[in-house]
Amino acid sequence: MGLLTIIRKNKAKAREMRVLFLGLDNAGKTTILKRVSGGDVTTVSPTLGFNIQTLVRGEYTLNIWDVGGQRTLRPYWRNYFESTDAVVWVVDSSDALRLGDGADELRALLSEERLAGATLLVFANKQDLAGSLSLEQVRDALGLDAIESHKWRIVPCSAISGAGLDEGLDWVVGEVAGRLYWSGRATGTEFAKVPLPAAGGAVATAS
Ligand SMILES: Nc1nc2c(ncn2[C@@H]2O[C@H](COP(=O)(O)OP(=O)(O)OP(=O)(O)O)[C@@H](O)[C@H]2O)c(=O)[nH]1
Ligand SMILES: [Mg+2]
């Protein structure tokens, strides 16, 4: 049995997903994670290494790696790529000046071989701020429409109000679950014995 098969079987048993939160510094990655786990969003400080957060959504456990986005830390992102099921790319929609920087970083990320199979969610964060760019503006600035290598979606959100966060994370869970667990599509018939969740159950209910 190949290593990949063993990893997939173990994941199927535990129903786990590995999710990588990336984006430029100050985008709001850590604040989003604090918000969805019920923490205090007023006491977030820049991440100088990484945080690990476990989130249970429906019947799935998300192991989330939140890595600092400062320029000097970005070369270390690659240390977290292995076995990643989904990348959540967080954008500060009020920072129009650095959208180009973000687009370059995202493009580089998507060409990484170890992220080839990963689902991509873009959170256009800080929508609560007056003057923040719209979903369409962020989508165009990042060139998302040209992405054919990854399944992607963009969701506008605010880590402060919480708007959009459940919608985005539920989409990630649904996509990854569909690929890894539901129908056995990933490896032929390997996962056919994993019971299908009740209609809408796994992804519709936020925990
Ligand atoms: N108004 C507003 N402020 C936000 C939002 N999300 C994050 N912030 C603020 O943006 C700042 C940066 O948030 P962080 O969560 O530390 O950003 P990060 O992406 O984790 O940054 P690094 O750890 O440096 O990579 C903090 O002052 C947050 O309070 C949002 O949706 N709306
Ligand atoms: Mg952070």
Side-chain angles (χ1 to χ4, degrees), residues 66-199:
D66 161 28
V67 190
Q70 291 178 36
R71 190 177 288 279
T72 52
L73 300 175
R74 292 177 210 160
Y76 298 100
W77 286 355
R78 66 174 72 99
N79 296 339
Y80 302 87
F81 291 165
E82 209 63 48
S83 305
T84 292
D85 296 309
V87 172
V88 177
W89 183 261
V90 183
V91 177
D92 177 349
S93 311
S94 70
D95 186 0
L97 285 179
R98 292 205 302 161
L99 264 184
D101 269 6
D104 292 344
E105 296 288 358
L106 180 59
R107 204 170 304 120
L109 208 62
L110 296 181
S111 67
E112 287 287 342
E113 206 176 311
R114 283 176 296 160
L115 294 176
T119 295
L120 172 69
L121 171 72
V122 176
F123 265 142
N125 190 34
K126 304 200 186 182
Q127 291 292 319
D128 57 292
L129 292 180
S132 69
L133 299 175
S134 67
L135 170 147
E136 289 79 15
Q137 287 170 311
V138 174
R139 184 190 65 205
D140 293 348
L142 295 183
L144 297 183
D145 282 333
I147 297 176
E148 291 176 349
S149 52
H150 295 70
K151 189 89 188 256
W152 63 270
R153 184 169 171 193
I154 180 167
V155 173
C157 73
S158 165
I160 299 300
S161 74
L165 301 182
D166 281 343
E167 182 191 342
L169 290 176
D170 285 345
W171 179 78
V172 167
V173 170
E175 277 300 317
V176 175
R179 179 156 46 82
L180 293 184
Y181 302 133
W182 282 5
S183 62
R185 267 177 292 163
T187 54
T189 56
E190 206 168 322
F191 291 116
K193 293 197 188 93
V194 177
L196 296 175

